[in-house]
Amino acid sequence: MDRKELELYLNDLLQAPRFRDYCPNGLQVQGRETVSHIVTGVTASLALVEAAIDARADAILVHHGYFWNGEDARIVGQKHARLKAILAHDVNLFAYHLPLDAHPELGNNAQLGALLGIDPKGRFGDDELGWIGELPQPTTLAAFAETVSARLERAPLVIGDLDRPVRTVGWCTGGAQGWFDAAVAAGVDVYLSGEASEQTTHLARESGVAYIGAGHHATERGGVRALGNHLAERFGVRHTFIDIPNPV
């Protein structure tokens, strides 16, 4: 398909213009005009870029791209190495951050909720990026944490009484531990995100609401993979998801 056609479709599908984000969403690095093979991954690290080049991809589609607010604008060091590789091989780089978190079907939160068997019931937070839902039946924090570990193939950080009953879950993938207060106010039994900060422990202990830190990378693999599969089905392009392991 044509690069411009792909860009316009993705911007419309993910409603990219409506988000005030920390980085530019959409086509970040221009490459060849025709796209027949798309590689997806969580972050446009040098390892992913090199793997995509080895796979002869025409485009790389990620959740974490480049040009973040406040970063050094100079093209030096690792930024130079990444961009040099992309430009030398004429590969397109597309990145969607908050728009990919928010999409109601293909987004990171939607995909994580489906993976964990949570029935969505509502939203909270800025741009309604936080999700609230219910488990099919009440369980314990320990049992739910075991489900998270098995589905994400990663042992999570769990803060709270392992024997406490849980049914209502709040979640937001990635580095959304700052929304724990909002989740507590929304009345959830447990809040799940990717990371934890020092104050997260105190809030969990004092509020009585459990917290699960399931991994920034692990919680954000679903959206970009689902988006790539969607593009392959709709446009007949080849899609390859490449997971670069990350313990964080």
Side-chain angles (χ1 to χ4, degrees):
M1 64 185 303
D2 180 77
R3 178 190 65 232
K4 189 64 177 178
E5 178 188 4
L6 176 59
E7 179 185 11
L8 292 174
Y9 179 78
L10 286 170
N11 287 345
D12 181 64
L13 175 69
L14 300 175
Q15 299 181 34
R18 82 175 180 87
F19 290 89
R20 293 183 298 172
D21 213 333
Y22 314 103
C23 60
N25 289 298
L27 180 64
Q28 291 192 336
V29 181
Q30 179 178 314
R32 59 186 68 114
E33 291 185 3
T34 301
V35 175
S36 59
H37 182 196
I38 300 172
V39 160
T40 60
V42 177
T43 299
S45 63
L46 183 59
L48 179 66
V49 170
E50 291 176 339
I53 291 169
D54 289 343
R56 299 184 182 278
D58 304 301
I60 303 169
L61 173 59
V62 297
H63 181 49
H64 301 137
Y66 304 153
F67 314 115
W68 297 90
N69 291 350
E71 76 173 21
D72 190 343
R74 297 175 299 163
I75 309 301
V76 297
Q78 291 309 116
K79 184 188 292 186
H80 172 265
R82 295 170 177 177
L83 289 172
K84 180 180 179 181
I86 291 173
L87 292 168
H89 291 84
D90 202 25
V91 179
N92 297 282
L93 174 66
F94 293 87
Y96 292 90
H97 185 232
L98 294 183
L100 188 56
D101 288 322
H103 193 275
E105 297 177 6
L106 302 174
N108 286 321
N109 286 321
Q111 291 295 310
L112 181 61
L115 182 66
L116 298 179
I118 308 170
D119 181 21
K121 297 294 184 181
R123 305 281 190 94
F124 69 93
D126 297 340
D127 290 316
E128 296 188 326
L129 286 169
W131 288 44
I132 296 176
E134 291 186 353
L135 298 172
Q137 59 186 17
T139 185
T140 64
L141 177 61
F144 180 57
E146 288 179 4
T147 297
V148 173
S149 179
R151 302 285 169 82
L152 294 182
E153 301 177 335
R154 178 191 186 279
L157 169 70
V158 183
I159 306 171
D161 179 0
L162 294 177
D163 294 325
R164 72 159 293 166
V166 297
R167 179 74 184 269
T168 302
V169 181
W171 75 100
C172 188
T173 64
Q177 65 269 35
W179 287 8
F180 191 9
D181 282 295
V184 170
V188 303
D189 301 315
V190 57
Y191 178 60
L192 184 151
S193 188
E195 302 180 25
S197 300
E198 192 274 340
Q199 65 267 27
T200 305
T201 297
H202 305 299
L203 180 56
R205 290 171 176 170
E206 294 169 17
S207 68
V209 175
Y211 181 83
I212 295 179
H216 194 135
H217 177 87
T219 59
E220 296 194 323
R221 289 181 298 207
V224 73
R225 183 189 302 192
L227 181 58
N229 288 338
H230 170 80
L231 294 172
E233 181 178 351
R234 183 175 180 87
F235 296 105
V237 295
R238 180 184 172 196
H239 167 232
T240 305
F241 173 73
I242 297 179
D243 189 30
I244 305 298
N246 189 330
V248 176

